[in-house]
Amino acid sequence: MPSLPVRCPRWVRRPWTAAVALLALAVSLLVAAPASGAGSAAGCRVDYTVNEWTGGYTAQIRVTNLGAALSAWRLTWTYGGDQHVTSAWNATVTQTGRAVTAVGTDWNAALPSGAGADFGLQGTWGTADPKPTDFSLNGVSCSDDGTVPPTTPPTTPGTPPPTQPPAGCGSAALCSDFEDQAGTTPSGNWRFTAPDCQGTGTATVDTAVAHSGTKSLRVDGRAGYCNHAFVAATTDLSSVGPVLYVRLWVRHTTALPSAHVAFVSMPDSSQGGRALRVGGQNGALQWNRESDDATLPAQSPAGVALSRPLPTGSWQCLRFAVDTSAPKLDTWLNDEQVPGLHADGVPTQDVDQQWLSRTTPPRPTALRLGWESYGTGDDTLWFDDVAVGSAPIGC
Ligand code: CA
């Protein structure tokens, strides 16, 4: 068993460039077999984009249904090397020998004709990791004559998939663009709060910087333990689920520090009201659970490398999906799924092994936006266009 985590462990900080170098080798494969002519059975196209490094890889996969509508999709392929899938997101992926099966999850199982589904996986390899070429969708080959069409140019890493959940708010339980705020003090559905202790940090309604309209929420966060400054939405989120989806736009000024900080804090009834937090450590985004101080990803160099920094000086779309019925969660930064901010219920070294030491699913009951640090770390942040609901919400 790993030893219990100490509060805000400090690891030797690895420059982000090193992580980039680890992931530098990117290859892309397009297997396309559009339906053509009578009798053609081809019914799918697969975009399989790999980031690989010595011993490991992640793959972002998009399957497009070129055939009749499917109520539940199942994509299969065979690995030619010794790849082994260790985790996946937006699909349930199982592997027997070299045969791999991916099945859509609750929210992307249905695949209308012409529509695509995106999912990803992480795995290991030892001696070889050639790209798979024999994809089949619900038993129908994606390449009906058995040949693989020419490889297309690689897609740009980070390019958002064409199909995303609708932006705006839909039927979200909480939806705020802060345009209804009358003064500089948060009011209406929003209240200033300092959950544990208050210092010199402040939160105001800002009319100088906004993602939408003319208003946003500004937080002047200050370093130092117990310098909490948050604005909490009064909306009760305890019945939002079973997957709680959050979309927010955030802009900040100072790169995430090496010390632990948080800018989203959700009281979690499964932790007796203690917080489920999104913030940063070692310069990259992380989840943190207040009750046991577990982090996602693990704060090892390999774990941190699977997360992402939060860029400064521009608006960033941060989305997450917190499963309240299983210990699973997912995180997207500007529509890119962040592999290190992913818990799938199957412990993965450097990612969610420590996180899954607690098997009780989280049950967030409210949303707080602001700043808390535990040591170093001043930052000025803005939040805008915030939504929380039971269905995916796009950027
Ligand atoms: Ca606004």
Side-chain angles (χ1 to χ4, degrees):
M1 288 292 290
S3 59
L4 284 174
V6 297
R7 188 167 191 88
C8 307
R10 285 171 176 247
W11 293 78
V12 175
R13 185 175 178 183
R14 166 171 286 200
W16 181 247
T17 49
V20 172
L22 278 174
L23 298 170
L25 183 56
V27 292
S28 177
L29 171 70
L30 174 66
V31 179
S36 61
S40 170
C44 46
R45 192 183 79 187
V46 174
D47 298 277
Y48 186 96
T49 305
V50 178
N51 282 308
E52 63 182 356
W53 60 94
T54 303
Y57 68 100
T58 61
Q60 192 69 36
I61 301 158
R62 178 175 180 81
V63 53
T64 303
N65 179 18
L66 302 177
L70 300 172
S71 59
W73 61 265
R74 184 184 75 259
L75 186 72
T76 57
W77 68 88
T78 307
Y79 275 136
D82 58 350
Q83 297 104 318
H84 177 69
V85 177
T86 55
S87 65
W89 49 94
N90 287 353
T92 301
V93 179
T94 55
Q95 181 173 357
T96 303
R98 293 182 171 184
V100 182
T101 301
V103 177
T105 57
D106 295 346
W107 63 87
N108 70 356
L111 207 52
S113 182
D118 296 284
F119 66 100
L121 57 84
Q122 182 175 352
T124 61
W125 63 280
T127 57
D129 65 338
K131 297 164 275 189
T133 58
D134 63 340
F135 296 98
S136 292
L137 180 63
N138 289 35
V140 177
S141 172
C142 295
S143 178
D144 62 344
D145 62 359
T147 61
V148 179
T151 300
T152 59
T155 55
T156 305
T159 299
T163 301
Q164 289 293 329
C169 285
S171 58
L174 166 62
C175 175
S176 184
D177 59 8
F178 300 100
E179 299 303 307
D180 63 340
Q181 296 287 314
T184 56
T185 301
S187 61
N189 193 34
W190 296 91
R191 297 280 187 280
F192 181 85
T193 179
D196 295 325
C197 38
Q198 186 174 356
T200 54
T202 60
T204 53
V205 175
D206 191 31
T207 56
V209 174
H211 177 260
S212 69
T214 60
K215 297 178 183 177
S216 71
L217 178 67
R218 171 174 169 155
V219 174
D220 288 80
R222 293 289 172 257
Y225 187 73
C226 271
N227 212 339
H228 296 188
F230 282 88
V231 178
T234 55
T235 307
D236 178 8
L237 303 179
S238 58
S239 62
V240 175
V243 177
L244 179 141
Y245 294 91
V246 178
R247 188 276 320 278
L248 59 90
W249 286 85
V250 58
R251 178 184 180 119
H252 78 140
T253 309
T254 307
L256 293 170
S258 55
H260 179 204
V261 294
F263 57 85
V264 176
S265 173
M266 294 180 288
D268 178 358
S269 60
S270 85
Q271 298 181 64
R274 302 185 85 173
L276 184 64
R277 303 181 283 210
V278 183
Q281 191 165 339
N282 289 306
L285 292 163
Q286 74 160 11
W287 286 83
N288 174 277
R289 193 165 53 211
E290 184 179 10
S291 58
D292 61 356
D293 215 26
T295 68
L296 179 74
Q299 291 301 297
S300 61
V304 172
L306 292 170
S307 184
R308 299 285 182 268
L310 182 66
T312 59
S314 60
W315 286 100
Q316 307 293 316
C317 181
L318 184 65
R319 296 189 294 138
F320 38 90
V322 178
D323 195 329
T324 66
S325 63
K328 301 179 180 179
L329 63 81
D330 277 313
T331 314
W332 296 261
L333 178 63
N334 300 322
D335 290 332
E336 184 211 10
Q337 184 130 23
V338 183
L341 302 174
H342 164 72
D344 60 2
V346 179
T348 300
Q349 178 82 34
D350 295 314
V351 183
D352 60 356
Q353 192 168 47
Q354 179 198 42
W355 191 260
L356 295 174
S357 64
R358 179 185 165 90
T359 55
T360 308
R363 179 57 267 182
T365 59
L367 180 70
R368 299 183 294 225
L369 306 173
W371 187 253
E372 62 184 284
S373 76
Y374 307 90
T376 57
D378 282 343
D379 203 355
T380 302
L381 309 91
W382 291 265
F383 300 93
D384 205 352
D385 297 314
V386 177
V388 183
S390 299
I393 307 164
C395 292

